[in-house]
Amino acid sequence: MKRALYAVAAVTLVATTPMASTAVAQSPDLIPRKLIFGNPSRLAPKLSPDGKSLAWIAPRDGVLNVWVAPVGALASAKPVTDEKPRPIMEYWWSPDGTRIVYAQDRGGNENWVLYGVDVATGTQITYTDAEKVTVRVIGASPKVPGSILIGLNNRVPQFHDVYRLDLASGKRELVLKNDRWAGFLADWDLNVRFGFRQTPAGGAAIDRIAADGKAELFDEFGADDAFTTGPLGITADGKTLYVRDSRGRDTSGLFALDLATGKPMPIGGSAKADVAGVIAHPTTGEIEAYGVNYLKKEWVPVAASVKDDIAFLNREAKGEWNVVSQTRDNRKWTLQVDRVSEPVTFYLYDRDAKRLTRLFTARPDLEGRALAPMGTLEIRSRDGLVLPSYLSLPPGADRNGDGKPEQALPMVLYVHGGPWARDDYGYNSIHQWLANRGYAVLSVNYRGSTGLGKSFLNASTREFAGKMHDDLLDAVDWAVTEGVARKDKVAIMGGSYGGYATLVGLTFTPDAFACGVDIVGPSNLVTLIESFPPYWAPILELSWYPRVGDPRKEADRKDLLARSPITRVDAIRKPLLIGQGANDPRVTQKESDQIVAAMKAKSIPVTYALYPDEGHGFARPENRTSFFAITEGFLAKCLGGKQEPVGGDFAGSSLKVPEGADYVPGLKEAAAGRM
């Protein structure tokens, strides 16, 4: 259930002038969209705590569900869940290894409901309420194998009370009423030990919570460090708290804090990037390695016991690797290995034998296809910031191996959401699809992206439609100057904040891009912030109000409107595509509806793809594939790239096209009968 702070899905097509075709790089035969955006074959393999069983996600009757098999007999796997119509995207083994636990919402509304399935009997229990309540998993421990801690906002929508849930019976017991905290950290006995809250000045505080529920301040940090400092976990003996901390430095380092004395001990860190993930022992909680992700991710050993494992995997995995699961004795791991120009593959790793056994790949139909490599770049902004970036080129476009095409290409600037998130090195379905169609694809970690130090993140404060957008323009200028992109053939595309950036691109800088694809992007920052779900209230003072603006204040409200694309609709003169999920709780349908209405009122052509059964993005493969079929036709008309015929790519989708169905070839016919 971990998501970016917000994501946007809006698609609008605007045609004001005919589109001329343009030459694109020679690319291999088109890879069918369904092989890229349809259901994966299998993914997320997780070992049971005893190591005897393996679970994974795979389609059941066309919908992603959880399957389980004995480790030595994967061919005998059976599905243990039967979700329809939305896929299961995340699941967990219960600490005792008898159950699969997962969360599911309805139509993308993010009112998460928790379920448990007994693996032996198939009996399913619905643990939490389905209406207007969302669950959070707070703690689980092998020391208390039959229970977990969860948070529910069923009493007050803004705050999650803490409950202890018995997994066998489904009974839950109230542990702590919550009237202030945004989140909690529990110990291995499932006692709530710490609560996290925002401070009025935009910083954050950690409160120590006693057994009787009384709390006292444990630590506090200011706004500059609020996003890069915080606790990671407690050891099983309850003596050590691990934290990442950026105070007194730019990037967050890893520290071990003695809870008896309060003395911190530095463990490690990097001058270029924050600590990005840890590998902890499954029964002691002791951190054995930590990750650092600047341009690529690297694992740094902390414990001598994993030093040889990391060296072995760095040598033998032949790509970036991450631990997906560990057995209770920590002797076997499942791994995800990413080689960028191959589909992601999963392995079983035997630590004693130092042996990797291939389990499966996520998309076997892509094996052997000519997929695009990804280059890492450092692009400098106009005011001197270094922007870690990633460039994918069509296979065969860079014949001399210098990381640039032999001739300038049409390019898509693909902007990540968040905005407090980041782009990473690795297999990227959007990059692979667009490169296969003949485009250069550039993704930029603009200021505000996470993981790159606090000064880089904090440089985005109050810079929506300002310096954050300048960073994107500077990256495009680099691509044009270096012969990567044709100046007149650059599209901007993205979801959530990336959708907002697309709208900013076509309204604030209307001549900078040839066209734009906005996926669930906000058009009005005031209505966006005012419509956030109630349970976001505990984090607004930490993130949105100080860093973007507080619409409750008149001066801020005016500034937010000045940075909103809805106030500059008159400037749009390039084609725009908008896609939206009707149930999106983060960027509501209103954000797309209002800019479409404003464009109609000014007789600006617009195409609007709406999905009634989706939320913040498109989870169902039928919807995802249909939307990217629309996008492909849109980009082919705008940039001149290759296009796969629509065929049956709209079958099974919930697509509605309230406006502009006749811009993309085949869209009007596909939308007939859906209005």
Side-chain angles (χ1 to χ4, degrees), residues 409-432:
L409 299 171
M411 188 180 82
V412 178
L413 178 70
Y414 183 55
V415 186
H416 73 70
W420 304 296
R422 65 161 293 165
D423 282 311
D424 294 296
Y425 180 79
Y427 175 90
N428 184 302
S429 59
I430 299 292
H431 275 238
Q432 292 294 344

Side-chain angles (χ1 to χ4, degrees), residues 329-623:
D329 63 10
N330 207 25
R331 304 320 306 162
K332 290 184 172 62
W333 298 347
T334 55
L335 302 175
Q336 174 178 302
V337 176
D338 188 339
R339 299 178 183 127
V340 182
S341 55
E342 301 175 16
V344 170
T345 304
F346 300 93
Y347 289 84
L348 178 65
Y349 174 50
D350 186 320
R351 295 183 64 203
D352 295 324
K354 292 293 184 288
R355 183 174 63 242
L356 277 172
T357 302
R358 188 179 189 271
L359 293 171
F360 45 75
T361 184
R363 296 187 181 275
D365 289 335
L366 291 182
E367 291 187 296
R369 300 269 187 171
L371 298 180
M374 177 179 279
T376 59
L377 307 166
E378 292 180 314
I379 298 173
R380 193 165 292 275
S381 72
R382 66 189 68 181
D383 59 352
L385 289 184
V386 176
L387 312 174
S389 304
Y390 303 97
L391 176 67
S392 297
L393 300 174
D398 176 20
R399 292 191 295 274
N400 64 6
D402 67 351
K404 300 170 187 175
E406 302 307 307
Q407 61 181 14
L409 299 171
M411 188 180 82
V412 178
L413 178 70
Y414 183 55
V415 186
H416 73 70
W420 304 296
R422 65 161 293 165
D423 282 311
D424 294 296
Y425 180 79
Y427 175 90
N428 184 302
S429 59
I430 299 292
H431 275 238
Q432 292 294 344
W433 162 60
L434 292 173
N436 181 259
R437 270 47 177 173
Y439 305 117
V441 193
L442 179 62
S443 289
V444 181
N445 281 310
Y446 49 85
R447 70 191 67 205
S449 300
T450 53
L452 300 167
K454 66 184 182 186
S455 61
F456 189 81
L457 188 148
N458 293 331
S460 68
T461 299
R462 303 289 177 133
E463 291 296 343
F464 272 46
K467 292 180 181 179
M468 294 168 75
H469 188 60
D470 289 344
D471 290 346
L472 301 177
L473 298 177
D474 293 345
V476 171
D477 286 345
W478 171 88
V480 171
T481 301
E482 294 295 320
V484 172
R486 286 186 51 182
K487 184 175 179 62
D488 62 337
K489 292 296 177 183
V490 178
I492 182 170
M493 171 179 170
S496 188
Y497 178 87
Y500 166 79
T502 297
L503 295 177
V504 168
L506 270 62
T507 54
F508 284 69
T509 54
D511 295 319
F513 299 98
C515 55
V517 180
D518 155 32
I519 306 169
V520 290
S523 61
N524 184 328
L525 294 176
V526 170
T527 55
L528 170 76
I529 296 171
E530 289 180 338
S531 65
F532 284 155
Y535 51 84
W536 280 33
I539 65 168
L540 290 180
E541 295 285 356
L542 174 67
S543 55
W544 287 91
Y545 292 160
R547 294 176 181 272
V548 185
D550 184 348
R552 299 171 301 181
K553 300 176 181 178
E554 187 58 32
D556 278 15
R557 193 177 188 90
K558 289 180 179 178
D559 183 63
L560 289 168
L561 286 172
R563 297 174 186 270
S564 296
I566 193 69
T567 62
R568 296 183 176 227
V569 170
D570 282 344
I572 298 176
R573 49 180 175 266
K574 300 293 177 62
L576 171 65
L577 171 65
I578 296 176
Q580 178 73 43
N583 302 318
D584 191 341
R586 308 183 188 200
V587 179
T588 65
Q589 184 180 335
K590 181 178 182 179
E591 294 303 314
S592 293
D593 285 354
Q594 61 193 359
I595 196 165
V596 170
M599 292 171 71
K600 279 186 63 182
K602 297 179 182 298
S603 300
I604 302 173
V606 56
T607 301
Y608 180 20
L610 178 67
Y611 292 87
D613 57 352
E614 294 286 6
H616 199 56
F618 309 133
R620 294 185 58 234
E622 297 88 349
N623 292 337

Side-chain angles (χ1 to χ4, degrees), residues 124-387:
Q124 179 169 303
I125 299 177
T126 302
Y127 291 129
T128 60
D129 308 316
E131 296 298 327
K132 296 182 180 180
V133 175
T134 186
V135 66
R136 295 175 178 171
V137 176
I138 293 171
S141 166
K143 294 177 70 173
V144 190
S147 299
I148 62 174
L149 286 184
I150 62 171
L152 290 173
N153 62 337
N154 55 349
R155 180 180 61 88
V156 179
Q158 292 86 347
F159 298 101
H160 283 70
D161 295 332
V162 182
Y163 292 83
R164 183 162 171 156
L165 174 67
D166 182 87
L167 294 171
S169 67
K171 293 181 180 178
R172 58 184 189 245
E173 174 188 358
L174 180 65
V175 172
L176 179 68
K177 282 188 175 181
N178 177 24
D179 61 358
R180 75 194 83 165
W181 293 292
F184 301 95
L185 181 63
D187 64 21
W188 287 55
D189 295 308
L190 298 189
N191 300 309
V192 178
R193 295 283 297 275
F194 297 97
F196 322 125
R197 57 182 171 83
Q198 63 191 21
T199 61
I206 304 173
D207 293 330
R208 199 168 197 162
I209 301 175
D212 62 2
K214 293 182 179 179
E216 61 179 6
L217 181 66
F218 177 76
D219 201 357
E220 186 172 358
F221 26 94
D224 283 353
D225 295 288
F227 267 42
T228 45
T229 301
L232 296 172
I234 303 175
T235 52
D237 61 13
K239 296 180 179 179
T240 302
L241 174 68
Y242 290 110
V243 299
R244 61 185 190 118
D245 200 328
S246 63
R247 287 173 290 187
R249 50 187 291 155
D250 186 53
T251 58
S252 63
L254 179 63
F255 296 81
L257 185 67
D258 186 311
L259 287 173
T261 66
K263 183 179 179 180
M265 181 182 73
I267 296 174
S270 164
K272 282 197 165 185
D274 300 323
V275 168
V278 298
I279 300 173
H281 193 284
T283 56
T284 69
E286 294 178 358
I287 289 179
E288 299 185 317
Y290 65 89
V292 174
N293 186 4
Y294 180 59
L295 289 171
K296 297 181 180 180
K297 190 168 187 177
E298 300 175 0
W299 288 103
V300 181
V302 172
S305 58
V306 300
K307 187 175 182 180
D308 289 345
D309 297 294
I310 290 175
F312 173 82
L313 293 173
N314 286 344
R315 183 175 66 251
E316 299 298 328
K318 313 298 184 187
E320 286 198 358
W321 57 271
N322 285 288
V323 177
V324 179
S325 71
Q326 303 158 271
T327 53
R328 186 177 293 121
D329 63 10
N330 207 25
R331 304 320 306 162
K332 290 184 172 62
W333 298 347
T334 55
L335 302 175
Q336 174 178 302
V337 176
D338 188 339
R339 299 178 183 127
V340 182
S341 55
E342 301 175 16
V344 170
T345 304
F346 300 93
Y347 289 84
L348 178 65
Y349 174 50
D350 186 320
R351 295 183 64 203
D352 295 324
K354 292 293 184 288
R355 183 174 63 242
L356 277 172
T357 302
R358 188 179 189 271
L359 293 171
F360 45 75
T361 184
R363 296 187 181 275
D365 289 335
L366 291 182
E367 291 187 296
R369 300 269 187 171
L371 298 180
M374 177 179 279
T376 59
L377 307 166
E378 292 180 314
I379 298 173
R380 193 165 292 275
S381 72
R382 66 189 68 181
D383 59 352
L385 289 184
V386 176
L387 312 174

